[in-house]
């Protein structure tokens, strides 16, 4: 279902398991997971939980469809109700669509400051796989990704970025 602190202040939501995550039964454990973990560690995030909006790997690694998302929506809601995070960080377009129910370009989703899920602020950012595919630490989006993660930390600590 997920991994991390059961009382997490930040819940990080991806789209669906990748190959390695599907094999191991944990979200973000392959190359994308290593990338995400390095960013988490570099920022000193301590109290977080990582999950996916969809639990099963879609065929041919396609983006989750509406039916995939709907099947797992109640499970995600229960997870979030139990954890009671202060902020949600969605990784990629499918995750923001699953959480917010909107289909929007990632650059526009990132700029939204009014997304909330049951009163919890939602910060949208790029999926680690996108950053890896577009150059990794040399990607133009890496700075935006880190800034979005820092925004989550500032929400947790009561300041605004």
């Amino acid at each position: 279902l997920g991994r991390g602190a059961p009382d997490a202040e930040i819940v990080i939501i991806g789209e669906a398991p990748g190959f390695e995550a599907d094999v191991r039964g944990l979200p973000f454990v392959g190359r994308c997971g290593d990338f995400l973990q390095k960013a988490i560690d570099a920022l000193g995030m301590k109290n977080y939980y990582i999950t996916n909006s969809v639990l099963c790997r879609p065929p041919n690694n396609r983006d989750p469809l509406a039916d995939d998302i709907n099947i797992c929506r109640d499970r995600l809601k229960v997870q979030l109700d139990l954890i009671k995070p202060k902020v949600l960080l969605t990784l990629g377009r499918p995750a923001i669509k699953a959480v917010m129910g909107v289909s929007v370009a990632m650059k526009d989703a990132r700029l939204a400051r009014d997304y909330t899920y049951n009163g919890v602020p939602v910060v949208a950012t790029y999926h680690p796989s996108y950053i890896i595919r577009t150059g990794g630490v040399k990607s133009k989006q890496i700075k935006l990704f880190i800034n979005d993660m820092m925004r989550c930390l500032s929400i947790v600590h009561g300041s605004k970025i």
Side-chain angles (χ1 to χ4, degrees), residues 1-5 12 25-27 49-52 55 75 79 83:
L1 290 179
R3 63 181 174 95
I12 301 167
L26 292 170
Y49 187 86
I50 303 172
T51 191
N52 281 308
L55 291 179
R75 184 267 321 158
Q79 268 186 313
I83 296 171

Side-chain angles (χ1 to χ4, degrees), residues 15-74:
E15 57 187 70
F19 175 78
E20 187 70 24
D22 197 37
V23 168
R24 294 183 49 194
L26 292 170
F28 288 91
V29 292
R31 204 168 85 160
C32 291
D34 292 343
F35 182 90
L36 178 61
Q37 193 62 54
K38 285 177 184 173
I40 288 169
D41 293 344
L43 292 172
M45 269 189 196
K46 300 290 184 217
N47 195 9
Y48 61 90
Y49 187 86
I50 303 172
T51 191
N52 281 308
S53 56
V54 173
L55 291 179
C56 301
R57 179 180 165 94
N60 301 317
N61 204 33
R62 65 163 164 70
D63 284 350
L65 302 176
D67 285 345
D68 301 323
I69 292 167
N70 289 334
I71 288 168
C72 293
R73 182 168 278 128
D74 288 342

Side-chain angles (χ1 to χ4, degrees), residues 1-157:
L1 290 179
R3 63 181 174 95
D7 62 345
E9 295 175 318
I10 300 171
V11 172
I12 301 167
I13 304 171
E15 57 187 70
F19 175 78
E20 187 70 24
D22 197 37
V23 168
R24 294 183 49 194
L26 292 170
F28 288 91
V29 292
R31 204 168 85 160
C32 291
D34 292 343
F35 182 90
L36 178 61
Q37 193 62 54
K38 285 177 184 173
I40 288 169
D41 293 344
L43 292 172
M45 269 189 196
K46 300 290 184 217
N47 195 9
Y48 61 90
Y49 187 86
I50 303 172
T51 191
N52 281 308
S53 56
V54 173
L55 291 179
C56 301
R57 179 180 165 94
N60 301 317
N61 204 33
R62 65 163 164 70
D63 284 350
L65 302 176
D67 285 345
D68 301 323
I69 292 167
N70 289 334
I71 288 168
C72 293
R73 182 168 278 128
D74 288 342
R75 184 267 321 158
L76 181 61
K77 182 185 180 321
V78 168
Q79 268 186 313
L80 298 175
D81 287 348
L82 290 171
I83 296 171
K84 298 177 179 36
K86 292 183 180 178
V87 63
L88 304 178
L89 176 65
T90 60
L91 305 177
R93 281 183 310 104
I96 195 67
K97 185 175 183 179
V99 172
M100 297 304 303
V102 297
S103 187
V104 62
M106 197 66 244
K107 64 180 177 132
D108 297 328
R110 277 195 64 260
L111 298 174
R113 298 290 192 241
D114 58 350
Y115 285 155
T116 61
Y117 177 86
N118 291 341
V120 177
V122 177
V123 175
T125 196
Y126 297 99
H127 193 282
S129 66
Y130 177 77
I131 295 171
I132 291 168
R133 283 193 318 270
T134 59
V137 295
K138 295 179 182 176
S139 167
K140 290 186 231 175
Q141 288 76 22
I142 186 70
K143 185 175 181 182
L144 301 174
F145 176 79
I146 296 298
N147 285 343
D148 294 335
M149 292 183 77
M150 289 171 51
R151 185 168 157 228
C152 289
L153 287 170
S154 72
I155 291 169
V156 166
H157 299 298

